[in-house]
Amino acid sequence: QVQVVESGGGLVQAGGSLRLSCAASGRTFQTTSVAWFRQAPGEDREFVAVSYKNGGQTNYADSVKARFTISRDNAEVTVYLQMNNLKPEDTAVYYCAAQFRGGIVFSHENWGFWGQGTQVTVSS
């Protein structure tokens, strides 16, 4: 079974930065799209960013545009989410998703493989 693992979360003050990592054991993300989602307490899991497998195209949720960047490092079998100028409202568990099933990429229901999540907490 495919394993997807996130890391890099932690506690940071508002305005600070974190870089999250997502890795798939024994594989690369070169042939698949990869997305980041997040889920805050009492909220639904929401889309954050996606890196498409073809052409390097990316898309971001309006709430994180100009602050977050998704990128790939195939040599490390890793996808990153660089988060800058963090805000308290960014506090959530962040999940990496792979194996897009088709349909709307912004819906968590259309992704097949998920990691365990990594906690990001932004203090005021």
Side-chain angles (χ1 to χ4, degrees):
Q1 190 171 6
V2 176
Q3 290 184 319
V4 180
V5 181
E6 306 96 335
S7 62
L11 175 64
V12 64
Q13 63 181 330
S17 298
L18 286 173
R19 189 181 72 168
L20 306 184
S21 298
C22 173
S25 59
R27 300 179 183 272
T28 73
F29 293 113
Q30 190 169 359
T31 61
T32 186
S33 298
V34 181
W36 286 94
F37 289 78
R38 67 186 182 187
Q39 188 166 19
E43 303 290 337
D44 293 330
R45 189 167 299 189
E46 65 177 347
F47 168 79
V48 175
V50 61
S51 172
Y52 296 102
K53 65 179 181 180
N54 296 320
Q57 183 180 356
T58 59
N59 279 303
Y60 299 88
D62 289 341
S63 59
V64 306
K65 286 180 179 177
R67 298 190 298 120
F68 290 11
T69 302
I70 187 170
S71 61
R72 295 170 178 260
D73 184 349
N74 294 131
E76 298 292 331
V77 196
T78 304
V79 171
Y80 300 101
L81 184 68
Q82 178 67 45
M83 307 185 296
N84 298 324
N85 192 24
L86 283 161
K87 304 176 180 180
E89 52 262 44
D90 294 318
T91 295
V93 177
Y94 283 71
Y95 298 90
C96 180
Q99 192 185 261
F100 177 57
R101 297 169 175 170
I104 301 173
V105 299
F106 314 114
S107 173
H108 69 273
E109 298 177 351
N110 296 328
W111 294 83
F113 293 99
W114 296 85
Q116 293 297 114
T118 184
Q119 176 71 50
V120 172
T121 302
V122 185
S123 64
S124 301

